[in-house]
Amino acid sequence: MCTGRGEKFTSISSQTYERVLRRVTRAAHDERGSIIRAKCAPHFKRMALELDPVWPVTAAHGYEAGGCLAGTRYLRVTPEGNVTACPYMEETIGSLRETDVVTLWRDVPGFQRLRQPSLEGRCGACEYTKLCGGCRARPLARDGNLMGEDFVCTYQPRGGAVIEPLPEKGPDSEVGLVWTAEAESWLQRIPSFVRRFVRRRAEDKVRAQGDTVVTGEIIGALARERFKGRGSGKRYRRGAADENREETR
């Protein structure tokens, strides 16, 4: 991130950035023993969808984490109690000495702007704008424009329809499928950023079996499948929690 004392300098070209990030994407796709994700590189979501359209790591599959995290997944608190949208943005948008963190997170206009951005340039015209959206710190540091295009990205929009994130419940969730109390309890233990994906996977599995009821056993089977038989649902919940910590780090 070209911010702070390095805001006018980078030793990495856009082409190198693209090449390295594609290697990270491939490693994340192929690795089974560890979770690999690219932080502060929202282009990872585009590359993931390009590499494997059914790989469930994008919001298109119900996986919420990704895109620029500033003001949407985390905030920064300085030693003085000042709040900024991310560690690479220096502008203070509130203070914990004056306002509680819940109110700041929920109501500060600066956060709302990041959650409903009006992106410009290639980022605004891109079909991946809702899955990626580019880093907001880079154009802010270089040009003073929070909504400017992420100039490190080499992708040229192709004029296609914007790829929409998976809704909380697909239309089939409301037609003939029933979730047991145990299954709903399982779902609530799962980190929110993957909950929609898990719901969809469970419902797809039930329909494939010709059934209409989503049970705790179905969720447990998905857990064992996720970890290739390496543990119980308890292991799955711990693994999901670890992934949650990694996504918010």
Side-chain angles (χ1 to χ4, degrees):
M1 296 301 155
C2 302
T3 61
R5 289 180 294 177
E7 68 179 22
K8 304 299 181 184
F9 174 80
T10 179
S11 58
I12 301 177
S13 68
S14 296
Q15 291 72 27
T16 299
Y17 185 95
E18 180 89 1
R19 185 173 66 254
V20 171
L21 194 54
R22 286 195 181 277
R23 290 182 61 186
V24 172
T25 304
R26 170 59 70 177
H29 181 270
D30 295 344
E31 175 60 38
R32 292 293 180 264
S34 301
I35 294 169
I36 299 175
R37 296 290 184 268
K39 302 305 169 198
C40 296
H43 324 82
F44 169 81
K45 297 298 181 177
R46 165 177 59 83
M47 296 179 187
L49 204 59
E50 291 173 339
L51 175 65
D52 184 352
V54 299
W55 181 24
V57 298
T58 75
H61 300 94
Y63 190 98
E64 293 184 0
C68 184
L69 304 180
T72 63
R73 297 293 184 273
Y74 64 44
L75 54 77
R76 175 181 69 150
V77 180
T78 71
E80 297 76 27
N82 294 325
V83 173
T84 72
C86 90
Y88 304 111
M89 294 181 180
E90 299 180 3
E91 181 182 358
T92 297
I93 58 178
S95 171
L96 293 184
R97 294 177 181 270
E98 302 172 0
T99 310
D100 67 272
V101 68
V102 173
T103 300
L104 284 173
W105 180 256
R106 184 185 59 206
D107 299 335
V108 168
F111 286 151
Q112 298 305 319
R113 189 182 181 198
L114 287 165
R115 293 165 192 169
Q116 297 179 335
S118 297
L119 301 180
E120 301 172 10
R122 287 179 297 132
C123 286
C126 187
E127 58 268 34
Y128 292 94
T129 187
K130 292 187 178 181
L131 300 190
C132 169
C135 171
R136 297 298 95 216
R138 287 196 189 101
L140 179 64
R142 191 185 75 169
D143 306 319
N145 183 4
L146 182 66
M147 295 294 140
E149 70 176 45
D150 186 342
F151 51 87
V152 170
C153 179
T154 62
Y155 183 76
Q156 293 297 327
R158 299 174 183 174
V162 172
I163 302 171
E164 295 288 342
L166 186 75
E168 181 65 31
K169 290 186 179 182
D172 290 339
S173 297
E174 303 171 3
V175 182
L177 290 183
V178 176
W179 281 67
T180 66
E182 183 185 12
E184 287 286 4
S185 178
W186 261 95
L187 195 66
Q188 293 308 309
R189 297 190 196 110
I190 295 170
S192 61
F193 64 87
V194 293
R195 197 172 295 156
R196 289 184 294 183
F197 162 67
V198 173
R199 179 182 288 277
R200 194 189 75 165
R201 283 288 303 275
E203 292 178 348
D204 287 348
K205 191 175 185 70
V206 168
R207 283 193 294 269
Q209 295 174 347
D211 205 346
T212 59
V213 180
V214 181
T215 66
E217 287 77 12
I218 292 290
I219 306 296
L222 289 175
R224 290 186 292 274
E225 180 182 327
R226 167 66 177 82
F227 287 96
K228 305 299 180 185
R230 293 175 292 142
S232 64
K234 181 177 180 181
R235 170 68 179 272
Y236 171 71
R237 291 193 294 274
R238 182 167 63 249
D242 291 343
E243 185 158 353
N244 189 24
R245 283 194 293 274
E246 287 300 316
E247 287 295 341
T248 54
R249 185 170 294 170

